[in-house]
Amino acid sequence: MNLGTIFLASLLVENVVLMRFLALCSYVGMTSSVGQSVGMGFAVTFVTVLATAATWPIYHFILVPLGLEFLQILVFILVIASLVQLVEFYLKKNVPGLYAAMGIYLPLITTNCAILAVTFDNITKNYNLIQSIVYAVGVSAGYLLAMVLLAGVRDRIKTSPVPKFLQGTPILFVATGLITVAFMGFAGMIK
Amino acid sequence: MTIVLITLGFSAILAFVLGAALGFFKEKFKVERDPKIDEVRNALPGVNCGGCGYPGCDGYAEAVAAGDAPVTKCAPGGKAVSDALAALMGVNASAEDTVAVLLCQGTKDVAPAKGQYVGVPTCRAAKLSTGGTKLCSYGCMGFGDCTKVCMFDALHMGDDGLPHVDYEKCTGCGMCVKECPQQILGSVPRARLGSVVVCSNRAVVKATVMKSCKVGCIKCEACVRACPEQCISMVNGIPVTDYSKCTSCGICVQKCPTKCYKLLETDIMGKVVIKEPVSV
C-alpha cells in the first residue's frame, strides 16, 4: 500500500467518525461551534501523530522482544495518557499562546478512543513507522473533517424547528447518519 | 511462570518511569500562578452562570486578579462577594443585590396577539421575523427565552403567558435581562423602595396603547402631576421614578388609570408578585 492510498483511505473511505463510529463523545460534545471543532480537530491530529510516534517503537522494540504483545492495551493507554499530560505541561510553560488555543482540549483527548484505535490499527495492519504516521494524520484529518461538517450542520439546526422528540442529541445522530450516507459514496474508491 | 514475572516487572518499570517523568516535568515546567487568582476564585460562589461576561467563575477570577475586571460584576454573589473581592484587591467598590423584574403586565387576556404566529417558537425569532407577536410591539411575547437561560430555576412561564420571577431564587445575574429581545426585564436593586411602571410601551399615541393593551401606560401623565415629591418624569414615553426622592406614598399607584404603577416593596418583592390586572 502506498502512502497516498493509506491517507485517502483513512481520511474518507474509513472515516473514523462517520464510517467506524469512534470518538462519538467528543464528536457530539465539541461541535457546538465551528471554531471549537477546528481547535479540537487540530489538537487530536497533534496528539494522534505523537501517540503513534511513541507507541509504534514501544510495541516493536520493547513489547515484541519481551513477548508481551498482550499488554498493548494497558501500555498504550498509559503511554498516551502520560504523553498528553507531558505535552500539556510543556505547552503551558513554553508556548502559552498555543496552550490557550489548544490546551483546553488536551485533557479531553487523553482517553479519546480514536487515538487508541489508530495505535492499535498500526499494529494489526502491519504498517511501518512512516506508514503509521501517515495513517495517523489521515485518520485525524478525517476526524477534523467530520467535526467541521457536523459543526456546520449544528449551526443550521439551531434555527430549525426540530420536533420535540428529536431535540438535543438525537437530531445530531440523525444528522450524523445522513452525513455517513453521503460518505458511503466513497466506499469502493480504494480497494 | 517467567512470563508472569516479566509482565509484572515490565508493568512496574513502566509505571515508575511514567510516574517519575510526569512528576519531574510537572516541576520543571511549573508555571507560576498568581495566588490571588485562587483567593479570588474561592470568594466567588462558583455557580458558573456567566452573568459577568467571563467564561465561568475561573475566567472572572483571573480577570479580577489581573485587575482587568471590576469586582462588582458577580451578581449571584451580590454585595457580600463584591465586598470580599474589594478587600482582596484593595479597592473600594460594592455591588448591590439585584433581582430581575418583568416590566410588562400584558397577559394573554389583556394584550391580544396581532395574529397567529407559526414560526420558530422563540422570542428572538418572533421578534426578528414579525417585530413582536402582540398588538403591543413592546410587550412580552411569552415564548420564554428568559426562562431557558435562567440557571437558578427562578423564572417560570405562567399560564397567563408571562414569565414569573421567583424573587427568593433570583440572584440578579442578569442573563434573562440580556436574553430578552424586547428588553423588558429590568435589573432592580433588591433593596430599592418606591414605585415603578410595569409597562414598557413607548408608543406616544394614547389610542395606540389603549388598542393594544388594557394595562399599558397611556401617557396621561397623571402620575407626574400627582406626585407630591415631583419625582416622576417622562423619559422616552415612560414615566420614570427618581428613587432618591420617592417616599413610597402610593399616590401614583392610585392615580394611574390603567393600573400600571406598582410599589416595588409591596406589589413586586412582596409575596403578592404582581397583582392581577384589573380590567378597565
Side-chain angles (χ1 to χ4, degrees), chain A residues 5 17 22 34 40 51 75 94 98 102 154 167 174 187:
Chain A
T5 318
V17 177
L22 289 169
V34 175
M40 180 73 179
V75 172
N94 291 357
L98 192 60
M102 201 174 86
R154 273 179 88 155
Q167 276 173 10
V174 173

Side-chain angles (χ1 to χ4, degrees), chain B residues 210-247:
Chain B
M210 292 180 86
K211 245 186 273 174
S212 56
C213 181
K214 288 179 189 161
V215 290
C217 169
I218 55 170
K219 330 300 170 201
C220 64
E221 305 194 10
C223 48
V224 179
R225 291 189 297 274
C227 180
E229 311 293 329
Q230 303 191 335
C231 66
I232 299 175
S233 55
M234 298 296 283
V235 177
N236 294 331
I238 285 287
V240 174
T241 311
D242 179 350
Y243 292 101
S244 61
K245 293 185 198 157
C246 181
T247 57

